[in-house]
Amino acid sequence: TIRVPDRFNFAHHILALNADRPSKLAYIDDTCELTYGELDRRVKACAAGLLALGVRPEERVLLVMQDSVDLPVAFLGALLAGVVPVPVNTLLPPEDHAYMLGDSSARAVITSAPLLAGLQQAMALAGVDIPLIVAGAIDGLPHGALGFGQLLDHAPLAAPAASAADQFAFWLYSSGSTGRPKGTVHSHANLFWTAELYGKAVLGVREDDIVFSVAKLFFAYGLGNALTFPLYAGATTVLMAERPTPQAVCDRLVRHQPTVFCGVPTLYVGLLASDCLPSKTSVALRVCTSAGEALPQHIGERFTNHFGCYILDGLGSTEMLHIFLSNQPGDIRYGATGKPVPGYDVQLRDDAGAPVAAGEIGDLYIRGPSSALMYWNNRAKSQATFLGEWTRSGDKYVVDADGYYTYSGRSDDMLKVSGQYVSPIEVESVLMGHEAVCECAVVGAPDSQGLTRTVAYVVAHTGREGNAALAEELKAWVKARLAPHKYPRDVVFLVDLPKTATGKIQRFKLRAAP
Ligand code: 3SK
């Protein structure tokens, strides 16, 4: 049986595992390469630098950073010092970053030069005056800010923080259908468990692998794919700052020859439709993964026919840190999410909490060693999600007689679009702020590939015509106020929304609309 020592610092563990491969490449990003030896030096210097700035163990440092070699250095440097890194979605508007600065009581913030202006707005909105560190090339730092290079000028930290395995190590923000994003608190041991149970035992990442993930490091999926698993195996990882368009991904598949590729369904759809799709012989793919939303069967089949390599479709969550239900090498059933990852237990329960029979839809609960400790500052939502050993996922699933699980929708109103959650309530409240909108309802609808797209049904105010120009105006209105994945791809104008006798919107009727 695998055990984690009571005293366990994950960053220290990673550096020790790789101590005998100093000249091996750990990371390749858009502008440079980083060996394991240099990763070791920079992580220890970053740890010392954060402590020298006055950040103390268990205090938070917000990481608003693009994917580059600096992000793993900042994340592991903070862990090594016992400081709690909080990598956040870089695409969120300043209002959301301001909320996170306040909610986490961050004592320092590290950002990438291209994101500096937005972050400064967020800091002003939050009214915080904390050390600001800027990574990447910049013409002149703002007054009082520090370059990331200056942080790395410190002498290496002599000894890692003597962290307990179960101590707060880092947070990731998770979104819900109502309210603010929730700071999901994870321990050092949780990183270890995802590396052992999924990265090593299911995905089988090896030292000779080159890993490339389209999910950025601030997502739980990306953090496992591009940091925890490859560093645990001594592999090399390719990072890319730009948006993962099919073009950018094709370029990396050919240029860097990754052997392990971690994608999301929308990207697989885009790749297969793209003019730049490389031939099987011009790439080196050994195994691929998919998560974020269910992978349509025909997409998995077409990908395997083209590249001769399987996609392991799986389900994970920010709360469980990575994938706990998955197709596994030698046991792939496209269209299904597979079986529980060994080390995790899964149950489907009815509304009364009783197990459902095979073939019946139930709410998914997971038991496993990588579940988060709690949501920060949110007792009610912590209690509704973390139920003793079990964690409620919020997904509905059905299991067949052979033990394969298939996705059947969400338990709440959340949509999953391009692998990211969208709260219809949040989008509706932004739409309602537009002077032409009288009423609206946002739902998910399948596109021609079987993926979810966001559709807004809108009743326009009297005197406003619901036409194509207004539809574009409303899309732009949402785009300017929320993260880019949240704006409705379609706006449909109705005279009335379907409602019950008591006035509740009948979303199921809208979902069923052609
Ligand atoms: O979207 C998923 O299935 C997922 C996978 C790994 C980690 C986190 C998430 C949300």
Side-chain angles (χ1 to χ4, degrees):
T1 50
I2 310 165
R3 275 201 71 244
V4 193
D6 291 345
R7 293 271 147 208
F8 180 76
N9 182 299
F10 187 76
H12 177 61
H13 188 62
I14 285 293
L15 298 185
L17 284 176
N18 292 297
D20 59 355
R21 45 176 80 92
S23 49
K24 166 114 201 250
L25 279 188
Y27 283 103
I28 303 171
D29 74 10
D30 300 332
T31 58
C32 69
E33 298 179 343
L34 190 72
T35 61
Y36 273 100
E38 187 56 14
L39 177 72
D40 185 288
R41 188 197 72 74
R42 291 191 194 181
V43 166
K44 289 175 177 164
C46 176
L50 285 170
L51 295 176
L53 272 181
V55 187
R56 289 172 303 187
E58 293 200 343
E59 289 181 343
R60 273 73 59 195
V61 54
L62 209 73
L63 308 182
V64 190
M65 300 177 78
Q66 292 177 327
D67 276 20
S68 81
V69 299
D70 295 331
L71 181 41
V73 168
F75 184 83
L76 293 172
L79 285 189
L80 196 74
V83 169
V84 176
V86 186
V88 300
N89 188 335
T90 54
L91 301 172
L92 296 175
E95 291 73 16
D96 286 6
H97 288 155
Y99 171 76
M100 290 165 180
L101 281 165
D103 180 59
S104 65
S105 312
R107 296 303 304 262
V109 54
I110 309 182
T111 194
S112 309
L115 307 175
L116 178 61
L119 181 70
Q120 285 178 305
Q121 266 188 56
M123 290 175 76
L125 283 170
V128 297
D129 183 16
I130 52 178
L132 167 63
I133 301 129
V134 186
I138 184 162
D139 290 335
L141 283 167
H143 181 70
L146 213 64
F148 194 60
Q150 290 172 274
L151 200 69
L152 304 186
D153 273 344
H154 283 82
L157 188 73
S163 312
D166 291 339
Q167 196 165 353
F168 302 162
F170 68 101
W171 305 3
L172 295 170
Y173 273 93
S174 158
S175 29
S177 56
T178 53
R180 296 291 205 164
K182 304 175 289 288
T184 311
V185 180
H186 280 286
S187 67
H188 288 269
N190 290 359
L191 289 162
F192 170 87
W193 285 116
T194 58
E196 274 292 329
L197 299 178
Y198 180 81
K200 189 168 154 185
V202 173
L203 188 52
V205 181
R206 309 186 304 227
E207 184 184 2
D208 62 349
D209 274 319
I210 300 177
V211 179
F212 176 44
S213 167
V214 300
K216 302 293 182 197
L217 284 160
F218 57 73
F219 290 119
Y221 181 46
L223 186 71
N225 302 339
L227 189 149
T228 322
F229 308 157
L231 295 185
Y232 200 68
T236 300
T237 303
V238 175
L239 296 176
M240 165 177 100
E242 72 191 273
R243 212 165 59 82
T245 58
Q247 185 86 45
V249 170
C250 291
D251 171 69
R252 290 349 182 252
L253 292 181
V254 173
R255 181 147 44 113
H256 298 299
Q257 297 286 296
T259 50
V260 178
F261 174 68
C262 306
V264 293
T266 33
L267 189 274
Y268 286 115
V269 168
L271 270 186
L272 289 169
S274 159
D275 291 343
C276 63
L277 183 72
S279 66
K280 176 181 171 176
T281 51
S282 54
V283 301
L285 295 176
R286 183 173 77 72
V287 62
C288 300
T289 66
S290 181
E293 63 182 313
L295 182 74
Q297 180 177 347
H298 68 107
I299 296 298
E301 287 167 355
R302 278 179 57 203
F303 187 89
T304 301
N305 285 341
H306 183 83
F307 285 116
C309 140
Y310 285 101
I311 303 176
L312 308 180
D313 184 20
L315 174 74
S317 68
T318 305
E319 288 72 9
M320 295 305 294
L321 189 54
H322 212 273
I323 289 175
F324 48 84
L325 190 61
S326 185
N327 284 278
Q328 302 178 28
D331 189 10
I332 311 269
R333 188 179 285 188
Y334 282 136
T337 318
K339 295 181 176 172
V341 167
Y344 293 90
D345 297 312
V346 160
Q347 276 186 0
L348 300 183
R349 302 185 190 167
D350 66 16
D351 289 349
V356 301
E360 281 177 24
I361 295 175
D363 288 309
L364 183 71
Y365 289 76
I366 315 105
R367 176 167 63 185
S370 62
S371 64
L373 306 173
M374 62 166 159
Y375 297 130
W376 192 257
N377 285 343
N378 200 330
R379 187 170 169 83
K381 288 201 169 144
S382 297
Q383 286 181 332
T385 303
F386 305 109
L387 311 163
E389 290 185 308
W390 292 90
T391 300
R392 187 176 177 279
S393 96
D395 295 297
K396 291 215 181 266
Y397 261 82
V398 61
V399 62
D400 69 12
D402 301 324
Y404 291 91
Y405 287 74
T406 301
Y407 181 67
S408 307
R410 288 282 307 167
S411 315
D412 52 24
D413 284 329
M414 292 294 279
L415 315 178
K416 251 195 155 181
V417 181
S418 307
Q420 296 186 66
Y421 284 113
V422 176
S423 159
I425 296 159
E426 185 184 24
V427 181
E428 285 162 11
S429 76
V430 170
L431 281 169
M432 288 303 289
H434 190 282
E435 45 83 23
V437 177
C438 172
E439 271 193 310
C440 65
V442 169
V443 298
D447 68 10
S448 59
Q449 300 292 331
L451 298 177
T452 303
R453 74 190 198 292
T454 313
V455 183
Y457 288 91
V458 172
V459 178
H461 274 300
T462 321
R464 289 299 307 252
E465 193 193 341
N467 55 20
L470 182 56
E472 289 312 312
E473 194 179 319
L474 293 177
K475 289 183 201 176
W477 173 264
V478 178
K479 227 175 180 176
R481 286 162 180 81
L482 297 178
H485 67 280
K486 295 183 179 173
Y487 83 89
R489 292 330 191 243
D490 290 304
V491 176
V492 179
F493 293 99
L494 298 177
V495 177
D496 283 311
L497 295 178
K499 292 195 186 135
T500 61
T502 55
K504 208 164 173 271
I505 295 171
Q506 293 171 306
R507 288 169 189 280
F508 71 94
K509 288 200 174 155
L510 295 172
R511 276 188 215 111

